Amino acid sequence: MIKTDILIIGAGPTGLFTVFEAGLLKLKTHLIDALPQPGGQCSEIYPKKPIYDIPGFPEILAGELVDNLMEQIKPFNPGFTLGERAETIEKLDDNTFLVTTNKGTQHNAPVVAIAGGLGSFEPRKPPIPNITDFEDKGVAYIIRDPEVYRDKRVVIAGGGDSALDWTIFLAEVASEVTLVHRRNEFRGALDSVERVAELSKLGKVNLITEAEVKELKGDDHITGVGIKHKTKGDIHLDTDYFIPLFGLSPKLGPIANWGLEIEKNAIKVDNSYDYQTNIPGIYAIGDVNTYKGKLKLILSGFHEAAIMCQSAYQRIFPDKKYVMKYTTVGGVEGFDGTKKEAKKEVVKAII
């Protein structure tokens, strides 16, 4: 059995930053994640996608953010159970929790922090009869490595931010990019819409609106798509890849059966104090939680992690009083013996 101070369910950015905040309090952490590597959506779904709202980074790729977080938490030696899903939770007689994964791995901790993002995801697939026949044979619902499409012909379907952003990105990678959307209006950011329109005028993107992809053609690999246009009728396009980006459907999974208060597929928490759930000792931070005024931003998850760890410390050590010290004053002392601190200058008095 794996024992720790704080058991973190979810190894995305919020879960990883929780390791750092807990480490400052000398609390050990262990993370469980169903994905085979840390980073959550940032690693699995869009590692090469730039993020613009992380403080101190005008622009940073999602994968780079994860790499930086992993470097930041290295001194605190967190444990990882990866490729396994947290399945059940049981409160023991000693007031601690026993969490068991779908593979039977048991974890014990006095505090559980659920940082599972939006949960597990399933792609929203367009109603094309033979689409499953071409999955991993030219059809992809998530772009993990843009280099796969280098000098290839790509057809993207969708009208949201993801479809627009990847159309813009792949315009500089693929030999030919076509964006198909069933309406004239897009649901994405205005600057992205304007950029796609500009690329279309420059001939770098083939933009087809008021149309839908209705048919996929090929044998061992996709070779073309059949498009139904509102006024022009049937259109055939040769392509090497078809990427329908209609979003992902999030699901809480087994966590939804843990007796937690759920509202609109998210866990209700007390945001006025410490982001604790209706079960004392179980917290929910990051995109997985909900409260009045909630903003689903990575930076919000970072804030919630810091507050939660302070509360967790008081729960684990009710008789101790922790005096917070800024890292600029106290430095960062890792469990591995490393120490980071500001250089202390000696000022000699003049007598």
Side-chain angles (χ1 to χ4, degrees):
M1 183 185 296
I2 298 170
K3 291 181 176 288
T4 190
D5 294 321
I6 301 179
L7 181 62
I8 305 167
I9 299 174
T14 295
L16 294 177
F17 189 67
T18 303
V19 174
F20 178 79
E21 288 296 323
L24 295 179
L25 300 170
K26 306 300 181 187
L27 299 176
K28 293 283 189 178
T29 52
H30 190 94
L31 301 96
I32 302 174
D33 202 295
L35 297 175
Q37 74 283 321
Q41 294 180 65
C42 288
S43 294
E44 180 71 6
I45 300 177
Y46 47 84
K48 300 296 184 181
K49 191 172 182 180
I51 303 175
Y52 302 105
D53 59 356
I54 301 299
F57 291 93
E59 177 182 339
I60 185 169
L61 295 181
E64 290 179 0
L65 174 62
V66 172
D67 291 342
N68 288 352
L69 286 166
M70 291 295 290
E71 183 66 25
Q72 187 177 25
I73 67 175
K74 188 184 295 183
F76 300 117
N77 298 328
F80 289 92
T81 298
L82 299 173
E84 300 185 30
R85 182 181 64 246
E87 196 77 16
T88 63
I89 190 167
E90 177 186 355
K91 193 166 187 178
L92 304 181
D93 293 338
D94 63 356
N95 214 31
T96 65
F97 297 94
L98 176 67
V99 175
T100 306
T101 71
N102 61 316
K103 295 185 179 179
T105 308
Q106 294 186 320
H107 308 75
N108 178 242
V111 169
V112 174
I114 302 173
L118 295 173
S120 58
F121 293 86
E122 294 180 3
R124 294 189 178 99
K125 302 179 183 181
I128 301 174
N130 62 340
I131 192 167
T132 57
D133 296 339
F134 290 100
E135 290 175 356
D136 298 323
K137 298 177 182 178
V139 169
Y141 306 104
I142 297 169
I143 297 177
R144 292 187 172 91
D145 182 8
E147 283 301 312
V148 169
Y149 309 102
R150 173 73 62 182
D151 299 326
K152 302 294 184 180
R153 299 167 298 179
V154 179
V155 174
I156 296 174
D161 283 314
S162 185
L164 292 164
D165 290 348
W166 281 117
T167 296
I168 295 168
F169 190 96
L170 292 180
E172 303 299 327
V173 175
S175 62
E176 180 182 300
V177 177
T178 299
L179 175 60
V180 181
H181 182 41
R182 60 189 179 131
R183 297 190 179 94
N184 275 320
E185 303 82 18
F186 289 87
R187 303 183 310 277
L190 179 59
D191 59 338
S192 297
V193 176
E194 291 176 344
R195 179 62 179 148
V196 168
E198 179 184 355
L199 289 171
S200 177
K201 290 179 181 178
L202 294 172
K204 293 186 176 182
V205 167
N206 182 21
L207 181 60
I208 304 176
T209 57
E210 296 187 298
E212 294 183 73
V213 175
K214 291 292 188 180
E215 183 183 8
L216 305 182
K217 300 177 181 179
D219 293 316
D220 294 334
H221 196 279
I222 191 171
T223 58
V225 297
I227 300 171
K228 186 72 173 181
H229 194 276
K230 183 177 180 180
T231 58
K232 298 178 182 178
D234 295 333
I235 301 173
H236 173 81
L237 283 181
D238 293 330
T239 190
D240 301 303
Y241 290 95
F242 173 54
I243 310 172
L245 298 175
F246 296 122
L248 300 170
S249 178
K251 294 183 178 180
L252 280 177
I255 293 174
N257 303 317
W258 287 5
L260 302 167
E261 192 173 355
I262 307 296
E263 182 180 284
K264 295 181 179 179
N265 207 42
I267 302 170
K268 287 190 69 175
V269 295
D270 175 14
N271 68 303
S272 65
Y273 180 50
D274 58 5
Y275 305 99
Q276 196 160 196
T277 68
N278 59 303
I279 300 178
I282 301 180
Y283 301 78
I285 53 177
D287 287 354
V288 77
N289 74 15
T290 185
Y291 52 84
K292 188 176 181 180
K294 170 69 178 183
L295 292 176
K296 291 185 182 293
L297 298 172
I298 292 176
L299 62 90
S300 299
F302 290 167
H303 161 79
E304 292 164 11
I307 299 297
M308 183 279 296
C309 285
Q310 296 289 324
S311 176
Y313 182 89
Q314 293 302 320
R315 179 177 177 81
I316 297 170
F317 302 111
D319 298 326
K320 289 185 179 181
K321 183 178 180 180
Y322 175 75
V323 178
M324 189 185 79
K325 293 181 180 179
Y326 298 110
T327 55
T328 50
V329 177
V332 176
E333 186 175 346
F335 297 158
D336 58 359
T338 60
K339 175 78 173 179
K340 291 181 180 180
E341 59 183 336
K343 184 179 179 181
K344 295 178 175 61
E345 300 290 348
V346 177
V347 179
K348 294 182 178 180
I350 299 176
I351 300 175

